[in-house]
């Protein structure tokens, strides 16, 4: 049996930890940070076509109303005509988006599964990703599937999924979700081997997802009211601001996945990264003989392990190691790679200078 799948791309992230390249007007998913194309283009390209067991329909894009033109332009550049571009007047996290994804998938192609994907992730092994989708699709008519990433380090920046009893080869019931751990707990998870990183990717039958929203019915009902009362203009659907404002803001993990008994996880090792910091960009990028990753005109003398990235002015460094140096727009950021998370705070402080 071939499963029909509608990709639903979540493009609401702001990417503040990748400032100054990522801005409110052009957040990280619209930049080429993991390859030659912008992240959103790579995400859509990854789920086009078909295999022996699955086929993909035209995508649904859920994004900020602020990025309507940018999203449409990006899809046109890769020759994709979305089934719908849903415009959010403001963010309401992934639970509201999940309810809208379920309702629109059922409307656009009854009987199809929805595949919810963030627009700003890197997946280096597309064949492996399609294989795990095909494997998981057999369970998605009755369960809500999430894709757990095989951890390769004791990462404290991700949530974890503890797998339960197997449903079949490579698919397991979910025993529990675990919040972001401290370093000692993360190492225990890695040593145990029964845990996966929670990547925030889901596949489900729309009717199952909407039914399992019952404990969080206010989110579902508010999101569906915003969709029903919204304005449609060709592929664009502008959600009703008044109804959407009343919709509680929660992640899908908390609103549904931590409450449902129908959750399942398909662990996978697919070269995944969420591109959440400049240190992660350094890790993913090709390096020179001294471990420097360069993008744009940059030179390094007696320097190693640095990320040197510029959209314009030349970057020249000497005698420094393990730094992030990013020049974009009207700002330059310089800090140790170990403090990559501080970019968000630097951005906040820089905005006060204007």
């Amino acid at each position: 049996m071939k499963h029909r799948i509608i990709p639903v791309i979540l493009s609401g992230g702001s990417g503040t930890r990748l400032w100054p390249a990522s801005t409110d007007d052009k957040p990280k998913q619209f930049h080429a940070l993991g390859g030659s194309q912008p992240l959103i283009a790579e995400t859509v390209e990854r789920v086009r076509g078909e295999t022996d067991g699955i086929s993909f329909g035209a995508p649904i894009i859920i994004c900020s109303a602020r990025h309507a033109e940018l999203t449409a332009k990006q899809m046109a550049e890769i020759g994709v005509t979305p089934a719908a571009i849903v415009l959010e007047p403001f963010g309401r996290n992934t639970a509201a988006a999940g309810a809208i994804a379920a309702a629109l998938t059922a409307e656009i192609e009854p009987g199809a599964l929805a595949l919810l994907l963030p627009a700003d992730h890197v997946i280096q092994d597309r064949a492996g990703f399609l294989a795990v989708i095909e494997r998981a699709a057999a369970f998605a008519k009755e369960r809500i599937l999430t894709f757990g990433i095989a951890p390769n380090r004791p990462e404290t920046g991700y949530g974890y999924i503890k797998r339960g009893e197997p449903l079949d080869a490579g698919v397991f019931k979910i025993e529990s979700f675990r919040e972001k751990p401290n370093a000692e707990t993360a190492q225990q998870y890695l040593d145990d081997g029964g845990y996966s990183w929670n990547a925030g990717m889901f596949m489900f039958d729309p009717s199952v997802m909407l039914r399992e929203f019952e404990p969080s019915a206010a989110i579902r009902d508010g999101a569906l009211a915003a969709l029903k009362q919204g304005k449609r203009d060709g592929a664009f659907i502008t959600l009703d601001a008044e109804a959407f404002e009343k919709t509680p803001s929660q992640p899908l993990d908390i609103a549904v996945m931590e409450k449902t008994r129908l959750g399942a996880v398909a662990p996978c090792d697919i070269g995944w990264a969420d591109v959440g910091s400049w240190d992660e960009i350094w890790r993913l990028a090709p390096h020179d003989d001294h471990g420097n990753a360069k993008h744009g005109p940059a030179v390094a003398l007696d320097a190693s392990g640095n990320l040197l990235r510029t959209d314009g002015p030349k970057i020249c460094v000497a005698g420094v190691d393990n730094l992030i140096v990013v020049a974009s727009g009207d700002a330059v950021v310089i800090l140790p790679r170990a403090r990559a998370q501080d970019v968000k705070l630097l951005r906040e402080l820089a905005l006060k200078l204007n």
Side-chain angles (χ1 to χ4, degrees):
M1 175 184 176
K2 180 168 285 194
H3 297 276
R4 184 68 168 167
I5 299 173
I6 302 298
V8 184
I9 313 301
L10 303 183
S11 183
S14 58
T16 54
R17 290 176 294 168
L18 290 172
W19 180 80
S22 178
T23 63
D24 291 341
D25 288 331
K26 191 177 181 181
K28 67 175 180 175
Q29 60 268 33
F30 297 102
H31 294 268
L33 297 174
S36 60
Q37 290 184 308
L39 293 171
I40 188 172
E42 292 187 343
T43 301
V44 172
E45 294 276 27
R46 200 174 291 133
V47 285
R48 295 179 75 176
E50 60 183 298
T51 70
D52 289 342
I54 54 177
S55 67
F56 295 106
I60 297 168
I61 315 289
I62 302 179
C63 66
S64 167
R66 186 174 191 167
H67 304 138
E69 185 176 339
L70 194 58
T71 299
K73 182 174 181 289
Q74 184 60 71
M75 292 301 100
E77 287 180 357
I78 60 173
V80 169
T81 302
I85 299 177
V86 180
L87 305 179
E88 296 180 323
F90 27 73
R92 277 297 178 265
N93 220 308
T94 55
I100 290 168
L104 269 182
T105 297
E107 173 189 325
I108 290 168
E109 191 163 339
L113 300 173
L115 176 63
L116 208 61
L117 301 173
D120 54 3
H121 290 181
V122 166
I123 294 176
Q124 296 171 326
D125 182 3
R126 179 176 184 260
F129 182 49
L130 295 179
V132 74
I133 291 173
E134 188 170 325
R135 184 167 69 244
F139 298 90
K141 282 293 182 183
E142 299 177 353
R143 292 185 172 272
I144 302 174
L145 271 294
T146 187
F147 300 92
I149 305 301
N152 54 22
R153 61 187 185 276
E155 177 61 55
T156 60
Y158 302 144
Y160 284 71
I161 301 170
K162 181 172 176 57
R163 72 191 67 154
E165 63 183 83
L167 294 169
D168 199 358
V171 180
F172 301 81
K173 291 182 178 180
I174 293 174
E175 181 174 311
S176 62
F177 285 86
R178 305 291 175 88
E179 297 301 318
K180 296 176 182 178
N182 58 31
E184 181 181 359
T185 303
Q187 185 62 55
Q188 290 174 358
Y189 290 169
L190 193 64
D191 294 340
D192 179 273
Y195 293 84
S196 301
W197 288 336
N198 182 5
M201 300 184 290
F202 305 93
M203 183 164 58
F204 49 85
D205 180 276
S207 63
V208 173
M209 174 60 79
L210 293 174
R211 185 177 68 242
E212 292 304 295
F213 256 105
E214 200 56 42
S216 304
I219 298 175
R220 177 196 62 198
D221 297 347
L224 296 188
L227 177 63
K228 183 178 180 180
Q229 296 166 27
K231 296 180 180 179
R232 302 200 178 201
D233 181 11
F236 289 105
I237 302 174
T238 302
L239 299 178
D240 181 77
E242 184 177 351
F244 207 52
E245 188 175 24
K246 296 176 183 177
T247 303
S249 177
Q250 266 193 356
L252 188 62
D253 302 77
I254 294 174
V256 175
M257 297 304 293
E258 293 183 4
K259 298 177 174 66
T260 183
R261 296 181 178 180
L262 300 181
V265 59
C268 52
D269 188 359
I270 53 176
W272 174 90
D274 75 343
V275 199
S277 70
W278 286 121
D279 189 49
E280 185 75 356
I281 297 295
W282 173 85
R283 189 182 70 81
L284 293 169
H287 299 154
D288 65 16
D289 293 341
H290 300 284
N292 298 302
K294 303 173 186 175
H295 176 90
V299 294
L301 177 65
D302 298 327
S304 64
N306 300 292
L307 174 68
L308 310 175
R309 186 180 180 96
T310 175
D311 296 337
K314 298 180 180 69
I315 291 178
C316 307
V317 300
V320 296
D321 303 315
N322 303 317
L323 289 183
I324 293 166
V325 184
V326 178
S328 184
D330 61 354
V332 178
V333 167
I334 303 172
L335 73 166
R337 281 189 16 239
R339 296 188 62 177
Q341 300 300 322
D342 286 341
V343 169
K344 184 175 182 180
L345 177 58
L346 288 176
R347 173 182 176 272
E348 293 171 0
L349 294 172
L351 289 176
K352 295 178 181 179
L353 297 176
N354 297 335

